[in-house]
Amino acid sequence: QVQLVESGGGLVQAGGSLRLSCEASGRTFSQYAMGWFRQVPGKERGFVAGISRSGLRTDYEDSVKGRFTISRDNAKNMVYLQMNSLEPEDTAVYYCAADETVFIRRNSRQYDYWGQGTQVTVSS
């Protein structure tokens, strides 16, 4: 069991940066692979980035490669998403999620726990 709370969203101009944080409760945070997803009205919730339980492996959706970095600090029960060179197309509600597997998975339906989401808006 884990509970997740995102923070760090806001308004930023194109080309700017934001760092999202996800704080997890529970004793077994290191047993979960973690992911960041985003959703805009009328579209499915889509994969952005994932990180393995140890933090040694990461995976990114193609459009954010080289711009976004996912990381975790298991000692602090935290997951982060550093977002640089933001574009208007990145505007969405961003969610962190936990998956009880040893893999990094891209399908949102396979994740067990979700945060409440945080809004990111990028202006042109």
Side-chain angles (χ1 to χ4, degrees):
Q1 182 179 346
V2 63
Q3 295 179 349
L4 308 173
V5 180
E6 303 98 332
S7 62
L11 304 175
V12 64
Q13 289 188 323
S17 297
L18 285 173
R19 191 189 196 196
L20 305 184
S21 298
C22 177
E23 184 176 10
S25 65
R27 311 175 192 175
T28 57
F29 175 68
S30 64
Q31 301 302 311
Y32 295 89
M34 300 294 296
W36 286 97
F37 293 77
R38 62 188 179 186
Q39 187 169 29
V40 299
K43 293 187 177 181
E44 297 287 321
R45 189 171 299 183
F47 176 80
V48 177
I51 189 165
S52 63
R53 295 155 83 174
S54 66
L56 296 177
R57 296 182 179 182
T58 58
D59 188 29
Y60 297 92
E61 193 272 327
D62 286 344
S63 69
V64 308
K65 286 182 179 178
R67 300 190 298 120
F68 291 9
T69 302
I70 187 172
S71 61
R72 69 189 296 164
D73 186 341
N74 287 347
K76 297 181 179 180
N77 280 17
M78 296 290 292
V79 181
Y80 306 98
L81 185 67
Q82 178 67 47
M83 304 185 294
N84 298 328
S85 301
L86 282 162
E87 304 168 352
E89 293 75 19
D90 296 316
T91 295
V93 177
Y94 284 70
Y95 299 87
C96 64
D99 186 9
E100 293 183 277
T101 73
V102 299
F103 310 108
I104 301 174
R105 302 198 286 195
R106 295 187 169 198
N107 190 340
S108 64
R109 301 182 189 276
Q110 297 174 319
Y111 281 72
D112 303 297
Y113 304 100
W114 294 87
Q116 84 288 352
T118 185
Q119 176 71 47
V120 172
T121 302
V122 184
S123 65
S124 59

